[in-house]
Amino acid sequence: MRRTALLVATSTLVVGMLTWPGVRPADAAPGAFVHPGVTVSRAQLDFARTEVEAGAQPWKSAFDQMTASKYADLNRTPKPRATVECGSYSNPNHGCTDEREDAIAAYTDALAWYITRDDRYAKKSIELMDAWSAVIKDHTNSNAPLQTGWAGSSWPKAAEIIKYTYTGTWANSGRFAAMLRDVYLPEIINGSHSNGNWELTMMEAAVGISVFLDDRASYDKAMATFRTRTAAYVYLASDGDLPKTVPGQHLDTKAKIVSYWQGQSTFVTGLTQETCRDLTHTGYGISSLSHVAETSRIQGQDLYGTDVGERLRQALGFQSKYQRGAAVPGWLCGGSLKLGLGPVTEVGYNALHNRLGIAMTNTQALTERQRPAGSNNLFVAWETLTHGDNPN
């Protein structure tokens, strides 16, 4: 019996390794980072490339959408600044939009390079990264941590693809790494006590930057903060009568927790800390949650089978239901929701439904309705192309 069980377990592990090429099994000992390994793996990129070349849908339409966008414009001129100043809701906006969109463009060009092998895209991605690494020194004003998180989520995704797949040269890759280490990481690594989407986005950036820098200590610190914040962002009935909280926020009474949860006093599985604010900001949080889980899986620790995966599944399903038009009950946000979840469902849906076989009726319907998923112009881009029904 024991021998049979051992054979089954071994076979399961081998099958898992064959199914997810380029991805370590969940129980692999921590070691060197996998590259490219921020949100998207080489195997996922290869799958997308194969499907696009075959003209298969939805990947071909997703690719066409991406290459027709302003982010893939080979005539794009970078607009770097020494100091990016972003106030609340980007007011003032001194370089905020320019920085975020140049970072998305660098990632877009990196994807276009990988799929087409057209050197012009790789060179444009490098031009954008080099322009900023030569100039930027600081982020200031009240939105500095969030702005750094948004731009800092896109930069390493671009850099990973270029550094580890481009067959040409990137002479200033070391300077770009120094920019991430010295300008971005210090602004985000210690987290935020603001609304949860802030810290989740900041940890997404910190995790991605840590992978690019091969910085295990920062990666582990960011991942620990991420796990704590995820538990405090999405409610599960198993949490008890009240949602979990983040140490240091001093949410030590029900009244304080209800206030932090936008006045919502009835807690149900899948509700997020920002659902009653609006689904747009909730979508930011869900997106970062899925991105970190995906990066972690590529790096050898599969969080989808933990409470992270369960919170992601429930958050996606809960929000998708109402985004699709379900009537809002009176006990939820006073009977009214501000919709606008955004193109944020592909990564989590693919991981949980396609890889793990979990039924996700509302999330599936919304995901398929929104394809091809584009960009939210902040830090999310082209996820039907990279993750739509991707088996890797």
Side-chain angles (χ1 to χ4, degrees), residues 160-176:
E160 281 280 297
I161 294 172
I162 295 298
K163 182 174 181 180
Y164 292 100
T165 75
Y166 178 46
T167 50
T169 58
W170 181 14
N172 292 313
S173 63
R175 188 179 73 194
F176 184 82

Side-chain angles (χ1 to χ4, degrees), residues 68-362:
S69 75
K70 63 182 179 181
Y71 297 115
D73 182 1
L74 289 170
N75 294 313
R76 184 181 188 87
T77 301
K79 298 177 180 178
R81 288 174 180 249
T83 301
V84 174
E85 182 185 3
C86 307
S88 181
Y89 293 95
S90 294
N91 183 22
N93 182 341
H94 296 152
C96 316
T97 302
D98 292 338
E99 180 189 30
R100 293 194 305 265
E101 294 194 349
D102 277 351
I104 291 173
Y107 175 53
T108 301
D109 289 324
L111 287 174
W113 141 254
Y114 196 91
I115 290 171
T116 65
R117 294 301 195 268
D118 184 336
D119 271 21
R120 294 177 302 165
Y121 287 113
K123 290 175 180 176
K124 178 57 69 171
S125 182
I126 289 169
E127 178 190 341
L128 291 161
M129 291 189 284
D130 283 355
W132 281 89
S133 70
V135 172
I136 189 168
K137 299 298 180 187
D138 199 13
H139 296 87
T140 63
N141 215 316
S142 58
N143 260 29
L146 181 60
Q147 171 71 19
T148 309
W150 279 336
S153 294
S154 297
W155 287 130
K157 289 192 291 189
E160 281 280 297
I161 294 172
I162 295 298
K163 182 174 181 180
Y164 292 100
T165 75
Y166 178 46
T167 50
T169 58
W170 181 14
N172 292 313
S173 63
R175 188 179 73 194
F176 184 82
M179 175 193 81
L180 295 181
R181 182 184 301 108
D182 300 337
V183 179
Y184 287 79
L185 195 56
E187 185 70 45
I188 56 179
I189 191 63
N190 293 316
S192 166
H193 287 160
S194 186
N195 282 304
N197 83 86
W198 277 51
E199 188 159 82
L200 288 168
T201 300
M202 291 164 70
M203 291 310 105
E204 176 187 344
V207 164
I209 288 169
S210 297
V211 170
F212 184 71
L213 297 178
D214 289 305
D215 183 344
R216 177 64 60 179
S218 294
Y219 179 90
D220 290 344
K221 180 176 181 178
M223 195 61 73
T225 301
F226 166 78
R227 293 293 298 269
T228 300
R229 174 60 74 171
T230 298
Y233 193 69
V234 182
Y235 176 81
L236 298 177
S238 57
D239 293 337
D241 293 338
L242 296 173
K244 293 180 178 291
T245 60
V246 174
Q249 284 192 290
H250 308 297
L251 300 176
D252 49 9
T253 67
K254 180 177 180 178
K256 289 180 181 179
I257 292 172
V258 168
S259 176
Y260 185 59
W261 281 63
Q262 321 295 326
Q264 178 69 12
S265 58
T266 301
F267 301 102
V268 297
T269 293
L271 183 78
T272 80
Q273 182 255 317
E274 294 185 280
T275 298
C276 292
R277 179 185 186 186
D278 57 59
L279 295 197
T280 301
H281 286 86
T282 298
Y284 301 164
I286 290 173
S287 182
S288 288
L289 203 163
S290 67
H291 292 166
V292 175
E294 194 72 355
T295 297
S296 179
R297 184 187 69 89
I298 295 167
Q299 300 304 331
Q301 182 185 22
D302 190 355
L303 297 179
Y304 290 114
T306 72
D307 80 295
V308 171
E310 180 63 8
R311 291 179 197 278
L312 176 59
R313 178 175 79 90
Q314 298 292 351
L316 281 168
F318 188 87
Q319 267 60 224
S320 293
K321 174 183 176 181
Y322 294 108
Q323 183 65 39
R324 293 183 63 214
V328 182
W331 57 264
L332 177 61
C333 309
S336 177
L337 281 173
K338 294 179 182 177
L339 304 181
L341 189 61
V344 302
T345 63
E346 288 279 16
V347 176
Y349 170 71
N350 187 56
L352 296 164
H353 176 74
N354 293 328
R355 290 199 205 112
L356 299 183
I358 300 170
M360 300 176 71
T361 306
N362 283 302

